[in-house]
Amino acid sequence: QVQVVESGGGLVQPGGSLRVSCAASGSIGKIMAIRWYLQAPGKEREWVATTTTGNTTNYEDSVRARFIASIDNAKRRLHLQMNSLKPEDTSVYFCDWAINGGGRTYEYWGQGTQVTVSS
């Protein structure tokens, strides 16, 4: 079984920065991709970024110039550096690890971490 835990959320002022992290532990097979999502109150979960184990990341347009993902393969940890934060970035941020096991890809989710951008 694989456990995923997000951390690093909090309250930040508009224009500020915050780094959230996502760690996986347990019986981890081949990591296919790690994705970040956000979910604001009363809204659908939205995709933010996808990082592959080749350390290539694709970003949603609204965050491409402001967010930077980095992966530490050895520590099974992914970081999302969020800069120039805006009030509309306020959401719970989730990560999703897509891991191959036995020829199938399984998705493992964390519980999310709250990011609040407010003055």
Side-chain angles (χ1 to χ4, degrees), residues 4-9 19-24 33-51 67 69 78-80 82 89-98 107-115:
V4 174
V5 178
E6 297 96 340
S7 60
R19 189 177 81 162
V20 293
S21 300
C22 175
I34 308 165
R35 302 178 184 91
W36 283 101
Y37 293 83
L38 60 83
Q39 188 166 19
K43 295 188 177 181
E44 297 286 325
R45 192 167 295 186
E46 299 177 2
W47 172 74
V48 176
T50 298
T51 298
F67 290 8
L78 180 72
H79 306 291
L80 185 67
M82 302 186 292
D89 293 320
T90 295
S91 289
V92 178
Y93 285 75
F94 297 88
C95 64
D96 159 37
W97 290 63
E107 309 281 341
Y108 298 95
W109 291 83
Q111 81 292 345
T113 186
Q114 176 71 48
V115 172

Side-chain angles (χ1 to χ4, degrees), residues 10-18 38 40-41 43 46 60-67 81-93 114-119:
L11 174 65
V12 62
Q13 292 187 343
S17 297
L18 198 65
L38 60 83
K43 295 188 177 181
E46 299 177 2
E60 194 274 331
D61 287 347
S62 69
V63 306
R64 182 173 292 115
R66 301 184 294 124
F67 290 8
Q81 177 67 39
M82 302 186 292
N83 302 315
S84 301
L85 283 163
K86 306 174 183 180
E88 51 264 42
D89 293 320
T90 295
S91 289
V92 178
Y93 285 75
Q114 176 71 48
V115 172
T116 302
V117 185
S118 175
S119 56

